[in-house]
């Protein structure tokens, strides 16, 4: 097959090349991003893209599905094996779609859900007013303690009062291990269903570096492109018994989606195979070691962190009592080729466009090959950029040197 994008569409070829250059010359600390392997990317760019396959393996609405069936069956089997469960749906186009599918299966418009608020570290799709979930369902939020921990007593208290149909555990900006067992007990006490959205921590769960939600949740949703390091996409995991009861398959297709992205499903299968390897386990371990090294080094520099540290792949710098906003620190770091994102934190008095938090994650830089010594250097750079804008050019120079010394995997 001829690779002729450059010839046929030089404008897009240039945009892609520029993006590659950007990724090569910047340190990626956005907690939800990663670098997939060439094998994952190869499956994603394959002829599987060309196939319509509405339905499920063995029950399609189109002919010619024998090989996409093969890929989807392998993907499902690997997902079940990796996460030790009896049901997997690998068709959701994204994490958001996976969540919407589960809501469609479990809830009716107007039903009550209880989830972590967006400002506390929850996700848009957990009931934000700006999202369809916040409009179709009656949403209640649980809070965090002032230092940023989930307040389980508060969750129980609200659950008893509200009697939600569904409790959601899982977050986009929570630096500590989530106690899924405790959530199960709370759900049982009030007769609620429990959904866990493990989008951020799926790689850690797959390798045992975070407690698995599968034994506790009625259903688990995830993305495949964050710590799991696969193609952009989503998955739904549960028991076959629950699928019989709630019919997640039907809620996905024809409920919410049409034709599955077979190229993405083939690529998910590749990522799931990788996730079973020892190498991947070592990688996940290093993600956590790096996050802890970065947290310690930042604290040594005098930064305050939400929950004073981390158990997982991410860190939230606490700027609630600082003159500098999350937005300003993000901007300064951008100028020094360090990519991060501002993030609201609990009790944030600044508007969402400013915020009093900065979220840092180690999955992408760990894939790149950075280890504990570089985490110390990173903390030093963040400090110098924070303390004086005039340090930005010199820091950028040093970042570029590091990017040359430790290049991207391809
Ligand atoms: C990232 C994320 C999602 C959404 O994933 P998309 O693929 O961007 O739609 C859902 N839930 C949580 C907790 C997330 O962090």
């Amino acid at each position: 097959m001829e690779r002729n994008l450059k010839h046929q569409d030089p404008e897009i070829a240039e945009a892609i090349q520029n993006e590659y250059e950007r990724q090569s010359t910047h340190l990626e600390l956005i907690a939800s991003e990663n670098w997939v392997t060439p094998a994952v990317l190869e499956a994603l760019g394959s002829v599987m893209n060309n196939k319509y396959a509405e339905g499920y393996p063995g029950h399609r609405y189109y002919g010619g599905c024998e090989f996409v069936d093969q890929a989807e069956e392998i993907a499902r089997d690997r997902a079940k094996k990796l996460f030790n469960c009896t049901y997997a749906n690998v068709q959701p186009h994204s994490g958001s779609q996976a969540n919407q599918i589960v809501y469609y299966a479990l809830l009716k418009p107007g039903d009550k859900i209880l989830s972590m608020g967006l400002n506390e570290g929850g996700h848009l799709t957990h009931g934000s007013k700006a999202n369809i979930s916040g409009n179709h369902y009656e949403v209640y939020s649980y809070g965090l303690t002032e230092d940023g921990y989930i307040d389980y007593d508060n969750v129980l208290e609200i659950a008893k009062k509200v009697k939600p149909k569904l409790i959601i555990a899982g977050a986009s900006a929570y630096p500590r291990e989530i106690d899924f067992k405790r959530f199960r007990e709370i759900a049982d006490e009030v007769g609620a269903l429990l959904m866990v959205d493990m989008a951020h921590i799926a790689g850690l769960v797959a390798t045992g570096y975070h407690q698995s939600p599968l034994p506790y949740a009625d259903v688990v949703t995830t993305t495949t492109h964050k710590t799991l390091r696969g193609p952009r996409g989503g998955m739904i995991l549960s028991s076959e018994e629950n699928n019989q009861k709630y019919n997640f398959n039907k809620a996905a297709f024809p409920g919410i989606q049409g034709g599955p992205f077979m190229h993405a499903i083939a690529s998910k299968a590749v990522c799931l195979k990788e996730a079973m390897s020892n190498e991947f386990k070592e990688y996940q371990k290093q993600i956590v070691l790096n996050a802890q090294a970065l947290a310690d080094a930042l604290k040594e520099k005098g930064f305050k962190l939400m929950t004073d540290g981390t158990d997982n792949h991410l860190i939230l710098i606490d700027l609630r009592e600082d003159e500098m906003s999350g937005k300003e620190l993000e901007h300064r770091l951008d100028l020094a080729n360090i990519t991060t994102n501002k993030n609201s934190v609990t009790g944030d008095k600044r508007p969402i466009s400013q915020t009093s938090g900065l979220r840092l994650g180690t999955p992408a830089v760990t894939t790149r090959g950075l280890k504990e010594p570089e985490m110390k250097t990173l903390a030093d750079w963040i400090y110098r950029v924070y303390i004086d804008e005039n340090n930005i050019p010199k820091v950028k120079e040093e970042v570029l040197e590091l990017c040359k010394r430790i290049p991207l995997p391809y």
Side-chain angles (χ1 to χ4, degrees), residues 32 93-99 121-126 169-173 195 197-200 221-226 232-234 359:
S32 49
H93 301 330
S94 69
S96 297
Q97 298 256 277
N99 288 349
H123 190 260
L124 203 63
T125 56
H126 295 178
S172 300
M195 169 183 131
D197 178 348
M198 63 168 184
H200 261 261
T221 59
T222 185
T223 57
T224 45
H225 51 274
K226 296 179 182 174
R232 307 200 80 78
R359 191 180 69 158

Side-chain angles (χ1 to χ4, degrees), residues 63-166:
C65 285
E66 55 270 41
F67 303 115
V68 291
D69 276 9
Q70 202 182 336
E72 185 164 346
E73 270 168 13
I74 292 170
R76 292 197 301 201
D77 287 347
R78 288 180 183 165
K80 287 188 271 187
K81 189 164 169 224
L82 183 63
F83 291 104
N84 197 17
C85 60
T86 53
Y87 169 79
N89 190 315
V90 293
Q91 292 195 1
H93 301 330
S94 69
S96 297
Q97 298 256 277
N99 288 349
Q100 210 185 340
I101 290 161
V102 166
Y103 301 155
Y104 191 51
L106 300 182
L107 305 172
K108 297 220 158 34
D111 277 350
K112 293 176 190 166
I113 63 181
L114 174 59
S115 60
M116 187 188 272
L118 186 62
N119 284 357
E120 265 67 43
H123 190 260
L124 203 63
T125 56
H126 295 178
S128 159
K129 266 290 162 218
N131 185 262
I132 187 168
S133 56
N135 291 280
H136 280 195
Y137 311 111
E138 199 174 313
V139 183
Y140 297 84
S141 308
Y142 48 84
L144 301 175
T145 60
E146 200 177 316
D147 48 356
Y149 283 90
I150 293 174
D151 186 345
Y152 294 96
D153 292 335
N154 176 249
V155 180
L156 177 61
E157 196 182 313
I158 303 175
K160 275 181 168 167
K161 218 182 288 166
V162 168
K163 296 247 177 279
K165 176 96 180 276
L166 177 69

